[in-house]
Amino acid sequence: MDKSPENPEEDTVSLKSNGEKSSNGSAKLGMLQSFRTSIRRVAEKSLLSSGRKGSKVTTADESRLQVPPSPSLSADSPVMSPLKTIGGLFQSTQDNQSDIDAQKGKSLSRSKTDPNISAFGDSLIKKGASIRRSLTFRKNRSTRGQLITVSEGSAEDRKEERQEEEEEDEEVREEMEESYTLPEIPHTPLSVMQINKLIEMEVLEEAHLNLLALRHEFQQQQARCGEDSPMELAKKEKDLNLLYSELRNKINAIVRDSNSLPSRNKGLLVPVARIIQEEESRVEEPGGLQGGWMETWREAVGEGVKVKVESIHLECKDQNASWLAVHLGLLGKAIVEDLEKVKRELRWSYPPSFSVFSTYVRSYHKVVGQHLKKLEPQVTELKDLHILLDWIINRYRSERIMGSVSLQPDMKDESVALQLEDDLLKQLKDKYCCRVKEDMRSSLDRLIQLENEEFWAHSRIPEKDDDGFFNSQVHMDVWTKVKGNIVNTRLIDAQLEQEVISCCLIELKEFPKRFETEFRHLCSAVRPQPLWTQYHITYINSFTALQEHMDVYKDTSPQEVRAFRKEAECLIIRLIQELEEQFKEEVKPYLRRMMTRKWLTNDEDFKQLSSRTETLSQHCALMRPPYVQGFADRMHHHVVREYIGQLMKSNYSCKNRKHEKAASKMRVQCGQLRDLFDDMKSSCEWLHAVGDDLSGLIGQKNKADIKNYLQPLVEHYPDFSRKHLVAVLYFRGLVRGREHQLILQRLTELKKKLGSGDRNQVLFGDMQVTINTDCLSNLSCCPTTSATWRTMSR
C-alpha cells in the first residue's frame, strides 16, 4: 500500500523500532516460523479430516474460481479463517519469508478518515489464493488431480470412520505448552478499519499483533507528550479501546460457542489462548482494557454453558406429567456429553494454566444452580419436588452425571456439588414437607370417602382378616401412605426423612377425630343394629393396629408419636364406651327384673340377658387385644354387680321356704354367667364366688346356721357391709328377731378380724341399697334398734 504524496504527514504513521529489534530481526523471524510450524500440525490434522468420506473434494482450477469464504462460516466448513491464520498455517517457508521481507521493506498506511480498503482487500485475496493453492496441492496429491465426489457410506462405515478419527485424535493430542514465543510485532500497524476487518474475519493472530503495534505507538506518543495529551493521542486511545473491545467480544463469542461448534472454533482457540496470555502479562501497560482477560474468558465459558443449559428441551407440565423428569434427564445427559467434549477436545487447545476442565465443571455447578432456581416456581407437585430434590442431592453427583466414568480421572479432585442460590435447597425441602402434609391430608380424607363408599353407604358387613378379627383396610392404607412417603424421602436425604416423619405424624394426629366425625355422621342410620356394633369393633381393631404401626417411629419422633397415640387411644376408648353403653342399655330391662317374684317363676328375662351376653361374647372374639381384655372385664363386672344388686333393692322377700328355690336358681344362673364371661376371656375370676357365697346364705334352712356361712363372703368381698347383709336377709325372709341380730353381730366380728382386704376389687361398695320400710319398723321394736341403725351404712 503506497503512501499518498499529497498528505504524507496524515497518511503515514511509522512504528519506530529500537536498534536492537533491527539487529535481531532474523532471530525473531525464526521464532515466528517456529510458532507457525507448531500451529501447522493442528491445521494439517483439520485438513486431513476434511477429505474423508461424505465430503466433496475440488480441484485446483475450481478452487481458484471460488470467492474467499465469509468470516461467519457454518459449523461444518473445513476452513474457518481464510486469511492470515490459515495462510500462516499452510504457506511454505519461502512464502512466509517473502511476506515478512515485504512487510519489513514497506510500511503500511492508515488514514484518519476513509482507509483504502480495496488495496487491503486485494492483498487478502492474494493470500487467500495462496491458501487455496496450498490446499489444492495437498488435495490433488490425494485425488490425483481429479474431481471426486464421495458418496455417503453406510452406517457401519461411518461408525468405523468415527472410531478411526478418534484413534487418530488420540495419537496427535499433546498438551499445549504453557510458554510461547510472541511473533514479531509489525513495525507499522494496519489501519483501524483493517484491524477491525481482521477481527471480524477471525484472523485473530494478525489482528492482535497489529493491535500491539498500535498500542506501542500510543505508548511512545504518550511518553513524548507527557501530561499534555493532544487530540490525536486521545483519538488513538479511543481507537485502541474500540478495537480491544471488538477483539474481546470476538474472543468471547468464540469461547462461548467453542463446545457447541467444536469443529469451527477448535482451530481458533490456540491463538485465543495466546492472546489472553499475552494480554494478562501486559495488564499494567497503558492502552489496554480494564478488567482481566482470564476472568473474561471464564465468564465466556459460563455464558456458553448457560446457552447449552437453556437450550435443553423443556415441555409444559400441562402437556406432559413427566415434564420435569424428562427435562432433568436430558440436562444430565447434555452435561456429561459437554464435559466429555471438553475433556476429549477443548482442553488440548489451551495451556495447563487455564484449567479448562475445572472451569467448565465450576461453570456447570453455577449455571445449573441458577437454572434450577428459575424452575423452582413451576415445581409444585409432590412427585416433581421429589424428583428435583433427588436430582440435586443424589443424581447430579452420582455416576450418572458428575461421577460418570467417562469423566474420570479428571473429576477426581473436583467438587461434585451444585452451587445453589439463596438457600434454594432449604426452600425446596420446606416446600416438600408442606406438600407431604397436604398430600397426607388429602389421602386421609380420600380414605374416609372410600370407606363410606365400600361399607357404610351400603351397610356392608366388615371383613375378617386371617386371624378371624374384624378388619378394615384403613390402617393398612394409612400405614402404606406414611411408609411410602418416608421410604421415598429416605432415598433423598436422611435429615429430610426425619422431617417427613414428623410431618406425617403431625397430620395423622388429626385423623382420628375427622374419621370419628364422618363415621358418626354417615353411620347414624345403622344404629343400634348389630352392624353398628360390628363397625365399632372393626375400627377399634384398625386404630389399635395403626398405633402399632406408628410406634416404629417413636425413637425418631417420640413427641409426635405420643401425640398421635393419645388421639387414637381417645377414639378407641370412645368407641369401646359406646359399645359398653349400648350393651348396658340392652340388658338393663332384663337385669331390673332379677330377684323378683316373676324371676322366681319365669326364666325369660334371664334367657334374654344370657342371649345378649352371648352375643357380646361373640363380638369380643372379633376384637383384637389389648382393649378386648378390659372390655370383657368391665362387662363381666357390670353384669354381676347389676344381677346381685337386685338383692339390695328389697323388691321381694321369700316366704314359705321359697328361699331355697331362689338360692338354687341364683347359683345356676351365676354359673351360666361365669361360663359366658370365661368365653370372653374375662380376667375377673374373683367375681365367680359371689353366686355361691350368697346362695349359701339364702338357702340355709336353719336361720341359726346363716352366720356360719358369712366368713367366705366377707373374705372374698371385704366391701360387703352390714347394710348389704340386711338387704340379703330381707330377701331371705329374715327381717327381725334375735337370730337376725346375731348374724349382724357376727359380720361385725368378721370384718374386724379380716380387715379391709383388697380395695381394688370392689363389688358391693358402689351398690345402691334400698331399706324396706317394714324392715325399719321392725328394727325400731328391737332393744338394739338405735345401735343397729347407726351401723347400717357401714
Side-chain angles (χ1 to χ4, degrees), residues 437-477:
K437 292 181 68 175
E438 292 174 3
D439 182 69
M440 191 71 191
R441 170 177 282 267
S442 176
S443 298
L444 294 175
D445 289 342
R446 180 57 183 157
L447 288 178
I448 297 175
Q449 294 176 6
L450 288 174
E451 196 70 8
N452 178 51
E453 293 170 2
E454 293 182 5
F455 292 95
W456 307 339
H458 305 288
S459 297
R460 180 181 166 190
I461 297 175
E463 299 173 350
K464 295 181 181 179
D465 59 17
D466 295 338
D467 297 326
F469 299 112
F470 275 140
N471 180 59
S472 169
Q473 293 300 318
V474 169
H475 71 97
M476 286 300 299
D477 292 340

Side-chain angles (χ1 to χ4, degrees), residues 474-525:
V474 169
H475 71 97
M476 286 300 299
D477 292 340
V478 173
W479 184 47
T480 301
K481 182 64 180 177
V482 172
K483 189 176 181 180
N485 286 335
I486 294 171
V487 170
N488 290 336
T489 308
R490 184 182 302 154
L491 301 175
I492 299 176
D493 181 61
Q495 183 265 339
L496 182 60
E497 178 192 0
Q498 303 302 317
E499 296 180 16
V500 168
I501 292 174
S502 178
C503 290
C504 289
L505 290 171
I506 290 173
E507 191 59 40
L508 194 58
K509 175 188 173 183
E510 305 299 325
F511 177 61
K513 288 183 180 179
R514 296 208 310 273
F515 183 89
E516 181 182 11
T517 300
E518 293 299 315
F519 172 64
R520 297 187 188 284
H521 173 68
L522 297 172
C523 290
S524 58

Side-chain angles (χ1 to χ4, degrees), residues 80-81 85 202 204 254 264-273:
M80 305 313 300
S81 185
T85 303
E202 299 179 347
L204 301 182
I254 292 170
R264 173 182 183 269
N265 290 329
K266 187 165 59 174
L268 294 172
L269 292 179
V270 173
V272 162

Side-chain angles (χ1 to χ4, degrees), residues 530 533 583 586 610-620 676:
T533 302
F583 175 74
E586 289 181 0
S610 180
S611 175
R612 298 296 192 278
T613 306
E614 186 175 359
T615 302
L616 181 67
S617 177
Q618 294 171 358
H619 288 158
C620 282
L676 288 173

Side-chain angles (χ1 to χ4, degrees), residues 176-274:
M176 187 175 174
E177 294 183 0
E178 187 68 37
S179 60
Y180 67 97
T181 301
L182 181 70
E184 184 177 5
I185 299 175
H187 287 252
T188 303
L190 297 175
S191 69
V192 173
M193 292 297 290
Q194 290 171 336
I195 296 173
N196 188 60
K197 191 68 175 178
L198 288 173
I199 294 173
E200 290 179 358
M201 300 177 72
E202 299 179 347
V203 189
L204 301 182
E205 180 187 1
E206 187 76 16
H208 183 239
L209 290 174
N210 281 275
L211 255 177
L212 292 177
L214 186 61
R215 186 174 178 181
H216 188 62
E217 273 190 2
F218 168 76
Q219 293 170 0
Q220 289 182 329
Q221 291 181 16
Q222 188 181 49
R224 288 196 302 267
C225 295
E227 297 181 356
D228 300 328
S229 299
M231 295 295 295
E232 175 67 21
L233 189 61
K235 185 178 183 299
K236 184 170 292 187
E237 184 177 17
K238 182 178 180 181
D239 290 342
L240 272 172
N241 286 334
L242 290 174
L243 289 173
Y244 264 117
S245 296
E246 288 298 318
L247 178 61
R248 180 177 280 184
N249 291 339
K250 176 60 69 174
I251 287 176
N252 286 353
I254 292 170
V255 173
R256 184 180 64 245
D257 300 336
S258 60
N259 213 14
S260 299
L261 304 170
S263 60
R264 173 182 183 269
N265 290 329
K266 187 165 59 174
L268 294 172
L269 292 179
V270 173
V272 162
R274 295 312 188 192

